[in-house]
Amino acid sequence: MGGEESTPARTPSPPPPKKEFDQQWRKTCWSKEERDHMVDELRNFKLSDPDVGQLRCLLYGPVGVGKSSFINSVNNVFQNRITSSALVASTSGTSFTMTYDTHYIQGRSGEKRLPFAFNDVMGLETQKNGLHPDDIVNALKGHLPEGYEFNPFHPLSDQKKEFIQNPSLSDKTHCLVSIVSADKISIMSKDVIDKMKNIRAEASRLKIPQVVVMTMPDKACELVNKDVKRIYYSKAIKEKMELCSNELGLPMNCILPVKNYHEEGMLDNDMDILILNAMTLIMNFANDYLWQLQQHAI
């Protein structure tokens, strides 16, 4: 007695892996009240050494990762509007920053400077292009004068008259901030990574605290592009941060993802929260450094 051959049951394909964790892996409060609280705390931040006017944060990293945009983004938060204190290039092929300038952050109209400032430097490039690493070391030690023009081939020598021979504590860097782009961390050249590691090693020798600000998470993850609050649910962002940690040698809790203001025409509470979380950690680390210096001076 004949019959049709039975068709074997098809094994169902496994579901695609989830792109999100079930819970935030880094707890974050996204409320407007938390934003305003962090703004007030940073406005009224008390420095360990009252003779230091501002905590000086040195920003460095590859060309086009958003160093100047980060300065503007911080300025936006505290002026409560879109600003452009640091000039930003419209393309990312070459460094737009050519001089060593201090960017102070001022509050709303009539308020005094906030207790922190940024120095943005020329971008790192491959081989002998871009910023000379020795000028980063000069900046860490406080030897670079305001308005110093970077020369990729000739870093500032202590034989030059503009070299600050006896920098004050206010001239020196109090926190080194590496800026990297989330969407490009996996394709950064070995040469640039090695330069960043060497600069980090010198900062470590000087006992200067360090963090990484990871920009452009929206370009590295569609979830974050749609909703910034999904950033600590995103598996892709955590993987980028782990890669950054492995490449540059900093612990995960020193890697701070932010979305810079770039094309927005008005402020966004969730973007502000990430920026303020980063600034709070940077300020605390820099202030701890001042405190340690004071203890050794006693």
Side-chain angles (χ1 to χ4, degrees), residues 170-186:
S170 295
D171 294 323
K172 298 177 181 179
T173 294
H174 307 126
C175 187
L176 177 64
V177 182
S178 307
I179 309 286
V180 299
S181 175
D183 64 326
K184 295 184 174 69
I185 181 67
S186 60

Side-chain angles (χ1 to χ4, degrees), residues 30-262:
W30 299 96
S31 71
K32 178 69 163 55
E33 292 75 17
E34 177 65 13
R35 177 209 180 273
D36 293 344
H37 172 72
M38 285 194 287
V39 167
D40 290 340
E41 289 284 308
L42 289 169
R43 283 189 197 282
N44 301 302
F45 197 91
K46 301 298 182 186
L47 303 190
S48 295
D49 188 337
D51 293 331
V52 175
Q54 278 82 26
L55 294 172
R56 188 179 295 273
C57 310
L58 180 64
L59 276 54
Y60 83 111
V63 171
V65 294
K67 297 183 294 298
S68 298
S69 292
F70 179 65
I71 296 172
N72 287 337
S73 296
V74 173
N75 204 37
N76 291 349
V77 174
F78 288 98
Q79 292 207 32
N80 204 34
R81 63 182 178 86
I82 299 298
T83 66
S84 59
S85 63
L87 295 177
V88 179
S90 59
T91 61
S92 59
T94 58
S95 182
F96 195 74
T97 302
M98 302 304 294
T99 57
Y100 184 72
D101 299 313
T102 301
H103 298 273
Y104 298 99
I105 306 298
Q106 185 178 355
R108 289 183 290 268
S109 178
E111 292 185 352
K112 63 181 181 180
R113 288 175 178 171
L114 270 65
F116 55 89
F118 297 104
N119 286 104
D120 178 20
V121 299
M122 191 176 182
L124 295 173
E125 298 182 47
T126 57
Q127 299 176 356
K128 295 183 179 181
N129 297 322
L131 178 68
H132 196 291
D134 286 354
D135 269 339
I136 289 266
V137 177
N138 283 331
L140 292 174
K141 295 179 178 180
H143 295 310
L144 293 186
E146 188 76 8
Y148 166 71
E149 187 170 345
F150 295 109
N151 185 321
F153 307 105
H154 301 289
L156 185 62
S157 163
D158 60 4
Q159 302 300 310
K160 298 287 187 178
K161 63 180 181 179
E162 60 263 43
F163 186 90
I164 300 175
Q165 296 287 350
N166 299 300
S168 69
L169 183 54
S170 295
D171 294 323
K172 298 177 181 179
T173 294
H174 307 126
C175 187
L176 177 64
V177 182
S178 307
I179 309 286
V180 299
S181 175
D183 64 326
K184 295 184 174 69
I185 181 67
S186 60
I187 58 172
M188 280 174 57
S189 75
K190 182 180 183 302
D191 192 49
V192 169
I193 290 173
D194 288 344
K195 285 182 180 180
M196 295 181 75
K197 286 181 176 178
N198 291 338
I199 292 163
R200 278 206 59 240
E202 183 61 24
S204 296
R205 190 185 70 78
L206 296 168
K207 302 187 186 304
I208 296 172
Q210 304 163 44
V211 302
V212 173
V213 167
M214 193 176 78
T215 62
M216 306 184 198
D218 52 312
K219 293 188 176 181
C221 176
E222 185 62 28
L223 295 170
V224 178
N225 187 42
K226 292 178 179 178
D227 183 359
V228 173
K229 292 197 297 292
R230 306 310 294 176
I231 195 162
Y232 293 125
Y233 287 92
S234 167
K235 292 184 176 181
I237 295 301
K238 189 174 185 183
E239 288 171 2
K240 295 292 186 182
M241 292 172 65
E242 288 170 343
L243 177 60
C244 184
S245 174
N246 293 333
E247 291 284 13
L248 298 181
L250 276 88
M252 285 284 283
N253 60 5
C254 292
I255 298 173
L256 312 167
V258 303
K259 182 183 177 187
N260 286 336
Y261 284 96
H262 176 62

Side-chain angles (χ1 to χ4, degrees), residues 291 293-298:
W291 186 86
L293 290 179
Q294 282 185 310
Q295 302 314 300
H296 290 292
I298 293 174

